[in-house]
């Protein structure tokens, strides 16, 4: 991270307990104001729990402690819709598009009062969303649904995007398309990205945060991490030389 620039997000000593389980145990990291910070770690280490805590979507009954700040603003006590209005964009792991509605209806539902929706920008990034406006979202391919989930968030102005495993379960060609789109998006807004595909990580990541069993195991320059084959193998369970899918 550039030492002279303030982080866009600061997470400090974040702890989450759900159903008696201490899932996050004092997680601290920062998100740089430019580029893509990847949040890495094996399945079940707490990546999604971290993003959900940041946006205020911890399951009911869950207990969240610590501090999350976006600039001067403290996020943890604010309801999710306020955070979204403040410019926190969230693309969840399961995409959550409304299957029974059309593409255009899904986009319309994401419009925020008082903000002119940036349809030009979204359709320039995803021409297919414009062409398929009248198609039901449930009949889109997985890749198209992911584009819709990302495009929906980009209708609004964002200070930071949180994106959870956008390439999961997609065909290699579509993985490449999603990576290209995220690369373009990251030119104008910083991204905190959860991503298991190391080829995508290698292509996009500027900074990296690695979680292990609910704690931060490593933070720093993403390229440095990827050069440490033994480290990535122990932390992620994969060798950084093996691009499972080519992006
Ligand atoms: N709603 C929940 N209730 C109980 N346990 C949960 C809940 N959500 C997540 N967990 C547990 O918390 C741990 C971290 O989950 P998660 O954040 O989804 O991991 P990741 O995204 O890194 O794969 C896992 O062991 C998971 O089973
Ligand atoms: Mg997850």
């Amino acid at each position: 991270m550039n030492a002279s620039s303030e982080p866009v997000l600061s997470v400090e000593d974040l702890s989450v307990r759900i159903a008696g389980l201490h899932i996050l145990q004092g997680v601290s990291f920062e998100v740089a104001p430019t580029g893509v910070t990847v949040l890495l770690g094996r399945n079940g280490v707490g990546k999604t729990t971290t993003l959900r805590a940041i946006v205020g979507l911890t399951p009911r009954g869950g207990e969240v402690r610590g501090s999350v700040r976006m600039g001067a603003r403290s996020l943890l006590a604010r309801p999710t819709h306020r955070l979204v209005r403040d410019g926190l964009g969230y693309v969840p792991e399961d995409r959550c598009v409304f299957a029974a509605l059309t593409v255009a209806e899904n986009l319309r539902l994401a419009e925020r009062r008082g903000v002119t929706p940036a349809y030009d920008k979204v359709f320039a990034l995803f021409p297919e969303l414009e062409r398929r406006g009248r198609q039901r979202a449930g009949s889109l391919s997985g890749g198209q649904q992911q584009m819709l989930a990302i495009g929906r968030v980009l209708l609004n102005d964002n200070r930071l995007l949180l994106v959870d495993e956008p390439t999961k379960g997609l065909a290699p060609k579509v993985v490449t398309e999603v990576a290209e789109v995220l690369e373009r998006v990251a030119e104008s807004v910083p991204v905190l990205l959860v991503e298991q595909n190391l080829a995508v990580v290698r292509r996009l990541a500027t900074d990296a945060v690695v979680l292990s069993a609910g704690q931060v195991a490593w933070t720093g320059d993403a390229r440095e991490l990827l050069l440490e084959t033994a480290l990535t193998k122990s932390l992620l369970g994969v060798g950084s030389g093996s691009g499972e899918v080519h992006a």
Side-chain angles (χ1 to χ4, degrees), residues 5 14 25 35 46 66 72 76 84 98 106 108 114 117-118 126 149 152 160 189 225 242 247:
S5 46
L14 182 66
Q25 305 170 18
L76 285 189
V84 169
F98 297 100
N106 268 274
R108 206 172 310 132
F126 308 104
R152 182 168 68 174
L160 171 64
V189 59
L225 174 69
S242 71

Side-chain angles (χ1 to χ4, degrees), residues 18-19 21 23 41-50 59 93 165:
I18 301 173
L21 297 170
I23 295 173
R42 295 173 186 240
N43 277 336
V45 294
K47 303 179 298 292
T48 296
T49 302
T50 302
E93 191 172 26
E165 298 215 42

Side-chain angles (χ1 to χ4, degrees), residues 73-94:
R73 183 155 281 163
S74 178
L75 304 191
L76 285 189
R78 292 170 80 77
T80 303
H81 70 273
R82 298 279 292 277
L83 300 178
V84 169
R85 210 177 58 194
D86 291 343
L88 189 62
Y90 174 51
V91 184
E93 191 172 26
D94 43 17

Side-chain angles (χ1 to χ4, degrees), residues 5-224:
S5 46
E6 291 287 307
V8 63
L9 190 83
S10 302
V11 175
E12 233 172 277
D13 205 15
L14 182 66
S15 289
V16 175
R17 275 179 196 273
I18 301 173
L21 297 170
H22 202 173
I23 295 173
L24 295 187
Q25 305 170 18
V27 166
S28 301
F29 64 91
E30 292 180 339
V31 177
T34 57
V36 177
T37 299
V38 283
L39 184 58
L40 302 170
R42 295 173 186 240
N43 277 336
V45 294
K47 303 179 298 292
T48 296
T49 302
T50 302
L51 295 196
R52 291 177 67 96
I54 293 169
V55 292
L57 291 173
T58 297
R60 201 175 293 188
E63 190 187 305
V64 180
R65 297 200 170 172
S67 126
V68 178
R69 280 177 301 122
M70 186 161 65
R73 183 155 281 163
S74 178
L75 304 191
L76 285 189
R78 292 170 80 77
T80 303
H81 70 273
R82 298 279 292 277
L83 300 178
V84 169
R85 210 177 58 194
D86 291 343
L88 189 62
Y90 174 51
V91 184
E93 191 172 26
D94 43 17
R95 290 163 202 157
C96 297
V97 300
F98 297 100
L101 302 183
T102 65
V103 169
E105 286 164 344
N106 268 274
L107 290 171
R108 206 172 310 132
L109 279 175
E111 293 180 11
R112 283 208 303 266
R113 225 184 308 161
V115 179
T116 309
Y119 279 101
D120 288 357
K121 180 176 78 183
V122 170
F123 290 153
L125 274 171
F126 308 104
E128 215 165 341
L129 294 185
E130 187 167 26
R131 280 199 304 275
R132 293 179 185 271
R134 296 167 73 164
Q135 188 174 332
R136 273 163 43 124
S139 69
L140 297 173
S141 70
Q144 289 160 349
Q145 289 190 15
Q146 187 63 60
M147 302 296 185
L148 177 57
I150 298 171
R152 182 168 68 174
V153 168
L154 294 177
L155 280 180
N156 301 299
D157 278 336
N158 295 290
R159 290 177 65 186
L160 171 64
L161 285 186
L162 311 178
V163 187
D164 199 349
E165 298 215 42
T167 68
K168 191 176 176 181
L170 301 181
K173 181 170 164 286
V174 186
V175 168
T176 307
E177 284 171 23
V178 171
E180 277 167 8
V181 161
L182 287 172
E183 197 167 37
R184 284 168 65 194
V185 168
E187 288 167 10
S188 54
V189 59
V191 179
L192 175 60
L193 172 69
V194 174
E195 180 57 66
Q196 299 279 47
N197 183 317
L198 273 191
V200 174
V201 171
R202 202 173 297 118
R203 174 175 181 154
L204 298 178
T206 41
D207 299 275
V209 178
V210 185
L211 294 184
S212 177
Q215 298 184 316
V216 173
W218 196 94
T219 64
D221 187 301
R223 245 162 311 166
E224 250 172 63

